[in-house]
Structures are given as C-alpha cells and as structure tokens.
Amino acid sequence: MMPNETTPRAACLIGWPAAHSRSPLIHHHWLRSMDIPGGYSIESIPPEGVAEFVMNLSKHGYIGANVTIPHKERVLKLTSPDRRARAVGAANTLWYDHGTLRATNTDIEGFIDNLDHCAHDWDHTDDALVLGAGGSSRAVVFGLLDRGIKHVYVANRSLDRAEAMAAQFGSRVVPLAWENVASILPRASLLVNTTSLGMSGQPPLAVNLDLLPDQAVVADLVYVPLDTPLLAAARARGLRTADGLGMLLYQAVRGFELWFGQRPDVTPELRRLIEADLTVA
C-alpha cells in the first residue's frame, strides 16, 4: 500500500536518537527551491520498533526514508538491498520500486562526489590510505575500489578489523597496523580519516602530513567542527582538502531524486545554510 498520489509525498529519517540530524534542513531546502510539494520528517524509532516501522513504512505515510544509527545494518534484512548496501553491510536510503522496498548506501557516492567537487583529479593515484575500519570506512573503501584505485591501505588500532575488510574486499585492500601509518604516507596521494579523532570532544588525529606527496588530497569525514585540525594542517601545507559536510550534502542527493523525482544540486546557498546551523549548534 502506497500513500495517496494526490497528497504531497513525504520521506523521513529513521534513527535512535535522530533529533540532531541536519537532513530535514537539506531536504526542505530542496523542496522549497524546486517548488515541490512534499515533506521530510524525523522518526525517532528505538531498536525494538524498527522492524515494524520499516516493514510498514508506506502505512506510516512515507514513500521512502533515510536510515541512521543504530539501524543501518538491521534494515538490510527488512528490505531488498542493492550490491552497494550488501557490500558495505549497511543501508542509509530506502525507497519503493513497484511495491518493493529497496535499500542502498549513498555514503559511497556522497564521498566520491564530494572528492570530485573538491579535487577533480584526486583519482590519479595508485595508493590511498584510509584511517579507521568502521561502517563509514567500508563505504569509503568500496567507493575507492569502484573508482579504480589499485591499493587501499586501511589502518586501524585493532588490526583484526582492518584484516576483516581485506578479507571482504579482496587483495587490493591492504590492512595496516596503526603504528605503521607513517611508512605509507609518502606514497599515499589520498588520505581519508573515517575515525572520530578530531571531532568536537575527541582527541586530535596525530598524523605527520609533511610525509605526504605534494599533490596529495586529504579528506575528513568529520564535520563537527567544520574545520578539523587535520584539514587545517593539510591546507597549511598547501594540500587540497574535502570536508565531511560536503559528503553529508552529496549523500542526500540520490535519496531526494528517488523520492521526489528531480535531482537536486548541492549549491553554495545550501552549504551556507547548513554551516550556519552547525555554528549555532
């Protein structure tokens, strides 16, 4: 059962907690700027209620949804996930396709599209170094492999998690002990931080960026603060950077297109809107 087509379409964010999300600001901005009748709501759903809510998403009045922690893994079993969601082991976007609730992971294209915007030739390299081996790291690694990067080194304080990623994605992923990061920096033309280090309230990320090649690009998935110590240090060295806010904005594009039928643009106006909200928060 789908919502009545004569009523405005609505999507939502499913999480626990979810009130902190900037997704409503992003999608409402696009709805207004494109003059599309519709809505986007936050649904704070505890883990014990997520199965019922997702399996009856249309009955709750929604044509699709974003999914955030702690539900991104659970929804794989409640939907029909695509290759990307299965590979990453998590989904963040749901939509109906001829009555079937499908799932994908747009963190992948959010990361890649933001890199393309910030440093158009970032992929002219054989080697990338990814710090961290959590869920966001899997999305990054998938995107890098899909783009054709030959060797993706994954460094994590718990080496077994990096080794598990190598086992999952194949020989192009090379697990790396955290204490050996410096040995790879001179050959890495892309450095990506997927850890929480550098986030507000967390310790800074201690990496010697002087070891990176002069053409290197540094990306940080953290967006609170907007200007992380890692990105500030990279710019001070004259390196190009890609921040976490850009990834947040670009990952929202495909969901909006699936739900509302038009592809939105990530504009300077939208970025200023979210930056202002993050500053107030």
Side-chain angles (χ1 to χ4, degrees), residues 6 9 13 32 49 60 68-69 127-128 134-135 141 149 156 174 178 196 210 253 273 280:
T6 63
R9 295 184 163 211
L13 172 74
R32 289 193 304 270
H60 290 286
T68 188
I69 55 174
D127 301 299
V141 169
I149 303 303
N156 197 65
V174 182
W178 192 265
S196 61
D210 289 338
V253 169
L273 175 69
V280 171

Side-chain angles (χ1 to χ4, degrees), residues 72-73 83-92 104-113 115 122 130 132-147 152 154 165 168-169 192 194 221 247 251:
K72 295 171 79 168
E73 293 81 17
R83 180 177 70 97
R84 291 185 162 204
R86 291 194 302 270
V88 175
N92 71 341
T104 190
N105 191 307
T106 65
D107 284 337
I108 299 164
E109 57 218 77
F111 172 71
I112 296 296
D113 289 351
L115 270 179
W122 66 269
V130 177
S136 58
S137 177
R138 291 197 300 272
V140 166
V141 169
F142 181 97
L144 295 176
L145 296 176
D146 198 49
R147 192 58 172 261
V152 180
V154 177
M165 290 187 65
Q168 176 184 358
F169 288 109
V192 186
T194 74
L221 271 55
M247 177 176 170
Q251 65 81 30

Side-chain angles (χ1 to χ4, degrees), residues 24 40 117 123 163:
Y40 187 98
H117 174 75
D123 54 353
E163 291 173 338

Side-chain angles (χ1 to χ4, degrees), residues 82-208:
D82 65 6
R83 180 177 70 97
R84 291 185 162 204
R86 291 194 302 270
V88 175
N92 71 341
T93 302
L94 314 179
W95 77 101
Y96 284 103
D97 177 22
H98 297 92
T100 298
L101 186 60
R102 301 199 180 277
T104 190
N105 191 307
T106 65
D107 284 337
I108 299 164
E109 57 218 77
F111 172 71
I112 296 296
D113 289 351
N114 186 46
L115 270 179
D116 286 340
H117 174 75
C118 296
H120 70 278
D121 59 350
W122 66 269
D123 54 353
H124 293 178
T125 181
D126 290 337
D127 301 299
L129 173 59
V130 177
L131 305 179
S136 58
S137 177
R138 291 197 300 272
V140 166
V141 169
F142 181 97
L144 295 176
L145 296 176
D146 198 49
R147 192 58 172 261
I149 303 303
K150 291 182 180 179
H151 308 113
V152 180
Y153 295 86
V154 177
N156 197 65
R157 294 195 183 280
S158 299
L159 182 59
D160 58 332
R161 297 191 67 181
E163 291 173 338
M165 290 187 65
Q168 176 184 358
F169 288 109
S171 60
R172 289 164 62 196
V173 175
V174 182
L176 187 68
W178 192 265
E179 57 269 24
N180 294 332
V181 163
S183 67
I184 300 300
L185 288 173
R187 63 191 296 178
S189 291
L190 175 66
L191 171 67
V192 186
N193 176 39
T194 74
T195 76
S196 61
L197 295 173
M199 185 182 296
S200 294
Q202 298 292 324
L205 175 61
V207 175
N208 184 2

